[in-house]
């Protein structure tokens, strides 16, 4: 649900709304033409809460300390990324997305023996 993620980021970082409030999430889902009730009910289940706990533990292990944080990785070799070297960098802050994109472009260009444009 990329549109949902974008709308939640906008609500939190551009509109300073409390995205922990179920009413805020319900408003976003309704604006997207979705019924918020099944989503909010599922979000409150023990399985989802356990998944959130696992993701939180993984984030802490990666050194993540706030949101939004972008972990940029390139570890698998492919046609566009020929070197599998597990390169990773962490970017923190809602103003760092462009930096994260620039970093991965430069790392991949260096691995391919070209220059980033």
């Amino acid at each position: 649900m990329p549109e949902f993620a974008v709308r939640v980021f906008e609500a939190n970082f551009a509109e300073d709304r409390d995205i922990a409030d179920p009413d805020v999430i319900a408003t976003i889902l309704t604006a997207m033409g979705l019924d918020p009730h099944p989503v909010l009910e599922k979000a409150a289940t023990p399985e989802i809460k356990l998944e959130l706990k696992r993701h939180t533990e993984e984030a802490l292990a990666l050194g993540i300390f706030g949101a939004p944080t972008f972990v940029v990785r390139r570890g698998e070799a492919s046609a566009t990324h020929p070197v599998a070297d597990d390169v990773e960098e962490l970017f923190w802050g809602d103003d760092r997305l462009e930096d994260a994109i620039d970093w991965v472009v430069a790392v991949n260009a260096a691995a391919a023996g070209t220059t980033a444009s």
Side-chain angles (χ1 to χ4, degrees), residues 34-81:
L34 301 171
D35 180 359
H37 296 100
V39 175
L40 293 173
E41 286 173 10
K42 185 169 183 175
T45 64
E47 296 82 19
I48 297 299
K49 290 182 184 253
L50 182 60
E51 188 174 339
L52 174 60
K53 183 178 179 184
R54 282 195 301 262
H55 284 292
T56 301
E57 290 168 354
E58 179 184 358
L60 291 171
L62 290 168
I64 295 173
F65 54 88
T69 299
F70 307 96
V71 177
V72 183
R73 288 189 183 117
R74 200 202 76 244
E76 286 187 37
S78 69
T80 55
H81 310 294

Side-chain angles (χ1 to χ4, degrees), residues 16 22 27 31 40 76-77 82 84 91-92 95 99 108 115:
D16 197 28
T27 300
L40 293 173
E76 286 187 37
F91 295 87
W92 179 79
D95 58 343
D99 293 339
N108 289 330
T115 57

Side-chain angles (χ1 to χ4, degrees), residues 15 23 30 57 62 74 79 84-85 88 101 111:
E15 301 164 8
D23 290 336
T30 300
E57 290 168 354
L62 290 168
R74 200 202 76 244
D85 57 6
E88 178 176 294
I101 293 168

